[in-house]
């Protein structure tokens, strides 16, 4: 069955079985990926992934089931399983929306460029081979390029309910990742660079390889630094990665369950007065943009922090009703799971500084350009403990590269310790727009 | 799972277009998950996946594609598209099928389908109750039951035809405690390659006590002063460091790209003679075990390091060919959506001669990392980073106050020779490992061991 027909079939089964409250969600993704190694395309993956999720709500009890096979018998099994699964859970405040808002055309969000669909294997291969050659030629200390991946992908999601919700949007992108391994004096460093876009720019191949090599070269010779409370600058790539691990705390559902320390703190100052953070679902071309959430609620921009003051939680229908509020349009879901709270595009208002200017504000600071894993970062407690690499900066000049150090602190202290913000967001497609930042109060151990 | 004639036609098409090796991987899987949070079962999920993956190898070049539509026409189109991407060559060999009899070494004693879902709901409510009994400090409990059945067929142009069934069961328990200075969480997540008997035989009292007490102790903990120090690394999940920092760089997927500090080091001394490390796919009903790997080769016990000497890598077909080592039955993939690569199974450090007390007593000031959280590694450089979930300071040879927020960082090949004492309390723990062929169940493990010095990040 085609996707649209499969969804309608699932809903027809709900009507046939007198289930008033049911919805269905179809995810489809198509991708072409190539990997390059030693001057050759060594791996090509072509994929089409499909999944249909069915949700049945009976007297506040939710059952969910999915199938990756879109044949009538498989869809019927999924529907019956969802119905059966709805018999056992505890009742919640969940209801299905019957309010159908007028929506602009999803295409106006600027998430889809048909020209990318014309890119073939040869285009991606040429790009990958050029990028690898550029990385190897950039610096004699580049000993290998273990990872060079070029990918074109397209995805779409359709949601539909027995109450008349129908919404489809699609997006696509093309991107590449290069990891170069450099060696000097027995020390090895990886230089990683990533590019993605909705516009195909073959000339990016050379910059991608060159940048990866340059990043690794800059880190060669890195050493730890002595333990200190040192101002830290997170660059515009690292800041969204680190802060992003803690943004789940803005979920009303997390607060209700006692796993967010923002519980009961609406109206309080939780960040420096320079910090304004908004969830903007209508940002042109941003990866998290959408007009309707997966429960059929219209999305709208929502301030989370205004000049340091905590203003709003994100809600889906169930969590909103529990707090006596309206959904803010933040229900998210993939075909294989149930409803959860999901932000769209988190945007932190920018500051006035270029990265180098930020680094020059304190006499001495640690500029962080790489994070190593996130296992020491606990979103519930807010604890931050993470290995980093970067540069020791004195008087605005990078004195030497630094590795084998950790930065430690707490997300809530970090938000209050932000002293200045950069003027740029990282240039790749994203759903997090967080500039570089100068932070005081983090412990640096090495 | 798929008609023999259809599989044959796909392989025939692939080899006739110049592939020197063609493979079909068919998978049907069923999952069922029940989550409890905030004393409530919020939703119950079940799912069905089915798909066919086709892989064609032209020398060192691999082409992979998959489809959930298993009609013969669709699969032949997919294969034609894959083959068309490659310059044509002379037809490859195609041999008639010989059916491998796959011996099931990981039997399911209680069929999950024979147990009503309501029993799982009761189990989760009971576990919630047991965990909350540990006192007022326990503020929240989350628990879930996850079961998965994977039936796979692997057939290839060399005539292999192997079918295997894999039943997984896992329980996850998370306790959140608060004692004035913000919440702390502790998690237990045991799992097996087996059936519902796993849940029936679990010691729920011990599980809830471990999670609740660890969360309570950490909620009352201060922070450790970071720096270079000796670390006594707890048994069981402590093995995650070996997994990340040494295991991944010992996969041929890293070796063949010259992206591993262990490349070219077979036969070299990489650790002290007390250290022996194994990757074993055959341990009965263990979470990371297999009957056959995802290329259809029977799983094996692979000695990685013996008495400090590097002995073997873990390899898949492509890795074995490119590195020039034998295949070890280590080819794995999350599902039909991924081509297989070399991955770990049950990876552990063997028992040693020391007692835990001896190791603690040998440290004047250091860290006892009783339980590790997760971590990550850059296989090319060996640089790793791990969180300590439950830690204690060691002062003058004794376990002292609990400490939180500690992170261990270093390089695998540098830390390995610094393991100087190994205990006799080997334990294994289930985990999920993510890499280029997706997320696969793996077991990590070790006895308690002492690392002479490692950088501990703290405050």
């Amino acid at each position: 069955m085609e996707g649209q027909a499969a969804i309608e079939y699932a809903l027809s089964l709900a009507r046939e079985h007198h289930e008033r409250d049911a919805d269905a969600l179809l995810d489809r993704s198509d991708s072409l990926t190539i990997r390059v190694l030693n001057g050759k395309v060594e791996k090509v993956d072509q994929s089409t992934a499909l999944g249909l999720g069915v949700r049945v709500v009976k007297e506040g009890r939710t059952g969910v089931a999915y199938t990756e096979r879109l044949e009538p018998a498989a869809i019927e099994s999924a529907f019956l399983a969802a119905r059966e699964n709805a018999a056992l859970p505890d009742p919640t405040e969940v209801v299905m929306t019957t309010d159908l808002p007028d929506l602009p055309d999803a295409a106006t969000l600027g998430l889809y460029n048909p020209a990318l669909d014309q890119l073939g294997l040869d285009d991606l291969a040429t790009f990958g081979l050029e990028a690898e050659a550029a990385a190897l030629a950039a610096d004699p200390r580049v000993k290998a390029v273990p990872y060079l991946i070029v990918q074109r992908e397209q995805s779409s999601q359709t949601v539909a309910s027995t109450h008349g919700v129908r919404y489809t949007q699609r997006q696509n992108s093309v991107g590449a990742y290069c990891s170069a391994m450099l060696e000097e004096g027995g020390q090895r460093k990886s230089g990683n660079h990533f590019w993605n876009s909705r516009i195909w720019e073959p000339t990016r191949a050379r910059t991608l390889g060159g940048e990866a090599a340059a990043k690794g070269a800059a880190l060669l010779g890195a050493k730890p630094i002595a333990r200190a409370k040192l101002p830290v600058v997170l660059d515009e790539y690292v800041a969204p990665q680190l802060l992003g691990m803690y943004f789940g705390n803005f979920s009303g559902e997390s607060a209700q369950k006692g796993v967010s320390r923002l519980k009961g703190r609406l109206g309080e100052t939780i960040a420096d007065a320079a910090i304004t953070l908004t969830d903007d679902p209508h940002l042109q071309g941003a990866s998290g943009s959408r007009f309707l959430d997966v429960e059929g609620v219209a999305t709208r921009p929502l301030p989370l922090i205004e000049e340091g003051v905590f203003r709003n939680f994100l809600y889906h229908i169930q969590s909103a009703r529990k707090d006596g509020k309206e959904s803010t349009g933040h229900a998210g879901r993939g075909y294989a799971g149930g409803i959860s709270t999901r932000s769209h595009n988190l945007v932190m208002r920018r500051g006035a500084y270029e990265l180098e200017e930020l680094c020059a504000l304190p006499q001495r600071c640690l500029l962080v350009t790489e994070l190593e894993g996130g296992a020491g970062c606990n979103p519930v407690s807010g604890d931050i403990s993470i290995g980093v690499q970067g540069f020791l900066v004195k008087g605005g000049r990078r004195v030497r590269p630094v590795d084998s150090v950790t930065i430690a602190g707490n997300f809530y202290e970090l938000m209050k310790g932000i002293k200045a913000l950069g003027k740029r967001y990282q240039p790749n497609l994203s759903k997090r727009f967080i500039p570089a930042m100068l932070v005081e109060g983090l412990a640096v151990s090495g | 799972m798929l008609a023999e004639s259809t599989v044959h036609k796909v392989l025939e098409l692939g080899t006739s277009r110049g592939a020197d090796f063609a493979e079909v991987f068919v998978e049907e899987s069923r999952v069922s998950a029940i989550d409890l949070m905030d004393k409530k079962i919020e939703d119950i999920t079940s799912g069905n996946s089915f798909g066919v993956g086709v892989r064609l190898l032209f020398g060192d070049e691999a082409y992979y594609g998959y489809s959930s539509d298993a009609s013969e026409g669709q699969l032949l189109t997919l294969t034609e598209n894959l083959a068309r991407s490659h310059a044509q060559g002379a037809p490859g060999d195609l041999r008639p099928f010989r059916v491998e009899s796959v011996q099931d070494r990981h039997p399911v004693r209680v069929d999950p389908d024979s147990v009503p879902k309501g029993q799982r709901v009761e189990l989760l409510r009971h576990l919630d109750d047991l965990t909350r009994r540990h006192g007022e400090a326990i503020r929240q409990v989350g628990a879930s039951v996850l079961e998965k059945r994977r039936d796979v067929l692997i057939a290839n142009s060399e005539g292999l035809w192997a079918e295997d069934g894999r039943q997984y069961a896992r329980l996850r328990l998370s306790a959140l405690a608060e004692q004035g200075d913000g919440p702390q969480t502790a998690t237990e997540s045991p799992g097996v390659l087996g059936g519902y008997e796993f849940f029936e035989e679990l010691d729920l009292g011990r599980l809830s006590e471990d999670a609740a007490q660890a969360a309570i102790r950490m909620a009352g903990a201060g922070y450790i002063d970071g720096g270079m120090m000796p670390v006594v690394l707890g048994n069981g999940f402590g093995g995650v460091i070996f997994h990340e920092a040494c295991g991944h760089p010992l996969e041929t997927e890293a070796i063949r790209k010259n992206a591993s500090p262990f490349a070219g080091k077979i036969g070299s001394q990489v650790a002290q003679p007390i250290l022996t490390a194994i990757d074993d796919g055959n341990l009965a009903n263990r979470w990371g075990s297999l009957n056959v790997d995802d290329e259809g080769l029977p799983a094996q016990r692979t000695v990685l390091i013996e008495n400090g000497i590097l002995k073997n890598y873990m390899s898949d077909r492509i890795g074995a060919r490119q590195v020039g080592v034998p295949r070890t039955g280590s080819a794995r993939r999350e599902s039909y959506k991924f081509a297989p690569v070399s991955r770990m199974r049950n990876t552990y450090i063997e028992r040693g001669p020391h007692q835990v007390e001896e190791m603690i007593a040998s440290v004047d000031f250091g860290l006892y990392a009783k339980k590790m959280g997760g971590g990550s590694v850059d296989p090319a450089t060996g640089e790793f980073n791990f969180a300590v979930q439950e830690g204690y300071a060691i002062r003058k040879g004794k376990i002292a106050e609990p400490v939180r927020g500690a992170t261990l960082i270093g390089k695998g090949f540098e830390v390995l020779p610094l393991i100087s004492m190994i205990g006799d309390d080997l334990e294994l723990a289930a985990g999920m490992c993510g890499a280029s062929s997706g997320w696969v169940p793996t077991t990590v493990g070790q006895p308690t061991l002492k690392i002479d010095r490692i950088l501990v990040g703290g405050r």
Side-chain angles (χ1 to χ4, degrees):
Chain A
M1 263 184 171
E2 288 303 311
Q4 209 62 36
I7 278 213
E8 294 304 331
Y9 181 63
L11 294 178
S12 76
L13 289 167
R15 282 190 293 273
E16 200 178 296
H17 288 84
H18 309 291
E19 291 299 347
R20 231 167 43 87
D21 295 319
D23 62 14
L25 178 146
L26 183 88
D27 282 324
R28 180 188 168 116
S29 63
D30 296 274
S31 66
L32 177 63
T33 309
I34 63 133
R35 288 173 173 80
V36 166
L37 186 69
N38 300 331
K40 282 204 296 200
V41 175
E42 65 139 7
K43 194 158 181 251
V44 175
D45 284 327
Q46 287 182 29
S47 75
T48 296
L50 281 164
L52 175 73
V54 181
R55 185 171 69 124
V56 172
V57 177
K58 288 172 86 128
E59 292 153 2
R61 299 170 205 268
T62 305
V64 179
Y66 70 86
T67 175
E68 292 175 2
R69 225 174 179 165
L70 300 191
E71 290 151 19
I75 296 169
E76 185 167 6
S77 296
F79 168 77
L80 293 173
R83 195 165 177 246
E84 189 192 324
N85 287 342
L88 282 172
D90 294 297
T92 67
E93 285 79 2
V94 69
V95 293
M96 284 198 175
T97 187
T98 52
D99 180 26
L100 301 176
D102 284 331
L103 297 173
D105 182 352
T108 62
L109 288 170
L111 300 175
Y112 188 76
N113 173 11
L116 293 187
D117 295 346
Q118 306 307 316
L119 293 175
L121 185 63
D122 290 346
D123 299 304
L124 303 192
T126 305
F127 187 102
L129 292 166
E130 270 185 29
E132 189 198 40
L136 288 165
D139 192 307
R141 295 168 296 179
V142 175
K143 301 298 177 201
V145 181
Y147 304 96
L148 208 156
I149 303 166
V150 190
Q151 184 178 60
R152 151 170 86 70
E153 61 183 343
Q154 184 198 136
S155 66
S156 68
Q157 187 178 66
T158 300
V159 290
S161 79
T162 49
H163 297 286
V165 172
R166 295 289 184 278
Y167 181 73
T168 298
Q169 74 172 50
R170 60 178 177 168
Q171 48 189 301
N172 63 2
S173 67
V174 62
Y177 172 76
C178 177
S179 177
M181 195 266 285
L182 294 87
E183 197 168 335
E184 187 177 51
Q187 190 188 41
R188 285 183 163 194
K189 283 289 162 198
S190 289
N192 308 316
H193 198 64
F194 174 67
W195 163 76
N196 80 346
S197 176
R198 216 162 274 121
I199 296 166
W200 176 237
E201 296 171 72
T203 56
R204 286 275 183 174
R206 257 162 283 152
T207 26
L208 176 80
E211 274 290 313
K215 281 184 171 180
L219 287 169
L220 279 169
K223 288 185 295 196
I225 47 175
R227 190 152 66 89
K229 284 253 179 197
L230 196 63
V232 170
V233 173
L234 307 172
D235 78 8
E236 66 270 28
Y237 292 91
V238 162
Q241 281 177 47
L242 183 64
L243 270 59
M245 291 190 244
Y246 301 90
F247 285 150
N249 288 301
F250 290 100
S251 144
E253 186 183 9
S254 296
Q256 288 162 0
K257 290 173 176 168
V259 292
S260 166
R261 293 180 73 176
L262 290 175
K263 183 179 181 176
R265 297 181 64 188
L266 279 175
E268 282 183 27
T269 297
I270 60 162
D272 185 86
I275 303 300
T276 289
L277 181 71
T278 303
D279 188 56
D280 185 352
H282 301 158
L283 207 56
Q284 270 290 313
S287 308
S289 289
R290 53 191 300 147
F291 288 124
L292 199 73
D293 79 358
V294 297
E295 289 186 302
V297 175
T299 59
R300 61 186 163 86
L302 187 76
L304 302 180
I305 302 174
E306 281 177 327
E307 293 171 352
V309 178
F310 176 35
R311 292 295 182 203
N312 284 293
F313 279 114
L314 309 175
Y315 286 112
H316 49 58
I317 290 177
Q318 178 196 331
S319 56
R321 280 168 57 93
K322 199 167 177 178
D323 277 359
K325 298 196 167 167
E326 294 280 316
S327 167
T328 54
H330 287 96
R333 179 184 166 198
Y335 71 88
I339 300 279
S340 63
T341 309
R342 210 171 281 181
S343 57
H344 302 298
N345 301 303
L346 289 169
V347 184
M348 185 176 284
R349 197 163 68 195
R350 283 178 282 199
Y353 300 99
E354 294 289 356
L355 183 64
E356 300 307 326
E357 293 169 344
L358 268 184
C359 291
L361 292 176
Q363 284 202 321
R364 194 164 166 265
C365 70
L366 175 67
L367 166 63
V368 175
T369 57
E370 293 280 333
L371 296 180
E372 297 177 343
C377 294
N378 183 332
V380 176
S381 64
D383 283 342
I384 297 170
S385 175
I386 187 167
V388 301
Q389 300 195 31
F391 302 89
L392 180 66
V393 181
K394 283 183 189 167
R397 293 175 53 109
R398 296 184 187 197
V399 179
R400 66 171 174 85
V402 172
D403 69 359
S404 296
V405 294
T406 63
I407 55 172
N410 188 282
F411 170 70
Y412 300 98
E413 291 162 15
L414 183 154
M415 291 296 281
K416 286 189 171 171
I418 297 174
K419 296 297 165 200
L421 293 167
K423 64 179 0 172
R424 292 179 198 284
Y425 301 125
Q426 62 89 21
N428 289 318
L429 298 175
S430 178
K431 51 181 289 188
R432 287 186 192 129
F433 297 82
I434 313 289
M437 52 182 64
L438 168 66
V439 182
E440 283 181 4
L442 291 170
V444 177
S445 317
Chain B
M1 297 177 74
L2 195 62
E4 190 181 317
S5 57
T6 302
V7 176
H8 182 81
K9 280 183 194 164
V10 169
L11 298 176
E12 189 176 54
L13 178 61
T15 49
S16 74
R17 293 287 187 274
D20 49 59
F21 175 81
E23 177 191 71
V24 171
F25 181 84
V26 188
E27 176 179 8
E28 173 138 37
S29 69
R30 286 189 299 145
V31 300
S32 156
I34 305 181
D35 296 315
L36 175 142
M37 181 73 185
D38 203 21
K39 296 186 183 174
K40 278 187 177 160
I41 305 285
E42 284 203 345
D43 50 28
I44 295 181
T45 307
S46 51
N48 234 303
S49 304
F50 177 84
V52 180
V54 176
R55 183 164 64 139
L56 305 180
L57 301 186
F58 301 84
D60 284 344
E61 294 176 40
Y63 288 73
Y64 191 76
Y66 64 82
S67 170
S68 293
D69 177 351
S71 63
E72 194 170 289
Q74 169 65 25
L75 294 177
L76 292 174
T77 305
L78 172 71
T79 310
E80 183 69 53
N81 286 342
L82 290 175
R84 194 181 294 149
S85 311
H86 187 273
Q88 310 281 298
D93 277 351
L94 178 63
R95 288 182 219 154
F97 292 127
R98 45 161 219 287
V99 177
E100 298 280 330
S101 70
V102 174
Q103 186 200 346
D104 188 5
R105 288 182 299 251
H106 314 288
V108 171
R109 282 180 282 123
V110 179
D111 177 2
D113 287 340
S114 71
V115 182
K117 281 200 171 149
Q119 271 194 36
R120 295 164 176 86
V121 169
E122 288 318 306
L123 180 141
L124 290 175
R125 292 196 201 283
H126 182 49
L127 195 57
D128 178 73
D129 181 50
L130 286 174
T131 310
R132 288 179 190 274
R133 278 185 206 170
H134 289 272
E136 286 291 296
I138 298 294
R139 300 289 167 83
Q140 190 56 279
V141 175
S144 59
V145 161
L146 181 71
E147 291 163 285
K148 181 167 189 172
R149 169 89 195 172
R150 293 181 73 195
D151 287 296
V152 301
L153 157 66
I154 306 135
N156 68 32
S157 54
E158 293 172 351
L160 174 86
W161 182 283
E163 294 185 49
D164 190 21
R166 302 157 186 177
Q167 175 71 46
Y168 293 97
R170 197 173 195 201
L171 187 118
R172 187 173 177 281
L173 171 67
S174 166
L176 182 147
E178 190 150 2
Q179 308 211 74
D181 184 26
Q184 288 290 317
T185 50
T187 302
E188 294 287 330
S189 42
V192 298
L193 179 65
Y196 193 79
E197 68 279 0
F198 164 70
F199 299 108
E200 295 176 337
E201 292 161 9
L202 261 183
D203 184 345
L204 298 183
R206 184 176 164 204
L207 198 69
S208 54
E209 179 168 347
D210 286 351
Q213 293 300 333
I216 290 169
R217 283 193 293 268
M218 287 305 107
Y223 295 92
I224 192 159
D225 285 341
M228 198 63 94
M229 64 184 77
V231 170
V232 175
L233 196 57
N235 64 355
F237 203 68
V240 71
I241 295 202
F242 184 82
H243 169 104
E244 294 286 355
C246 302
H248 281 298
L250 289 173
E251 294 164 344
T252 50
E253 190 58 13
I255 302 286
R256 74 184 183 92
K257 295 177 176 176
N258 189 22
S260 166
F262 295 109
K265 295 274 171 66
I266 295 273
S268 305
Q269 184 94 35
V270 295
Q272 296 191 29
I274 53 163
L275 190 138
T276 291
I278 310 287
D279 182 83
D280 191 346
N282 286 336
L283 300 176
N285 291 105
R286 284 292 180 177
W287 178 245
S289 294
L290 300 163
N291 289 312
V292 290
D293 76 356
D294 290 332
E295 290 177 338
L297 197 70
Q300 298 175 6
R301 177 177 188 272
T302 308
V303 177
L304 303 174
I305 297 170
E306 190 169 36
N307 302 325
I309 309 283
L310 182 60
K311 290 289 183 185
N312 287 294
Y313 302 129
M314 291 163 278
S315 61
D316 60 332
R317 173 180 291 272
I318 290 176
R321 187 157 75 182
Q322 291 184 7
V323 178
V325 293
R327 287 164 68 194
T328 57
S330 304
R332 304 188 67 187
R333 48 180 133 197
E334 177 181 322
S335 73
Y336 68 89
K337 293 179 182 173
F338 297 85
V341 299
S342 55
R343 303 290 295 270
M344 280 171 270
R345 299 160 301 197
N346 305 298
T347 316
Y348 61 93
I349 295 174
E350 275 283 23
R351 283 182 177 80
H354 301 100
Q355 300 294 310
V356 178
E357 298 73 29
E358 265 181 273
M359 292 183 227
I360 301 284
S362 74
V363 175
D364 185 52
F365 174 76
L367 173 71
Y368 174 38
K370 186 175 179 209
K371 189 145 190 231
M372 296 304 296
S376 63
V377 66
D378 178 343
T381 62
E383 293 165 325
F384 66 73
N385 177 292
F386 291 90
V388 179
Q389 184 180 306
E390 185 181 353
Y392 301 84
I394 304 175
R395 295 183 190 279
K396 302 205 182 312
K398 293 205 161 48
I399 294 176
E401 75 279 6
V403 290
R404 71 192 203 206
T407 301
L408 307 184
I409 55 180
K411 298 184 180 77
F413 61 96
E414 286 179 4
V415 165
L416 203 51
L418 298 175
I419 297 174
S420 60
M421 298 173 91
I422 299 180
D424 57 1
D425 55 346
L426 173 64
E427 219 175 80
L428 304 182
M432 292 300 287
C433 168
S436 66
S437 63
W439 290 90
V440 298
T442 55
T443 297
V444 301
Q446 65 175 35
T448 302
L449 51 83
K450 181 188 168 192
I451 302 171
D452 286 340
R453 58 180 187 280
I454 190 168
L455 181 65
V456 176
R459 286 197 183 183

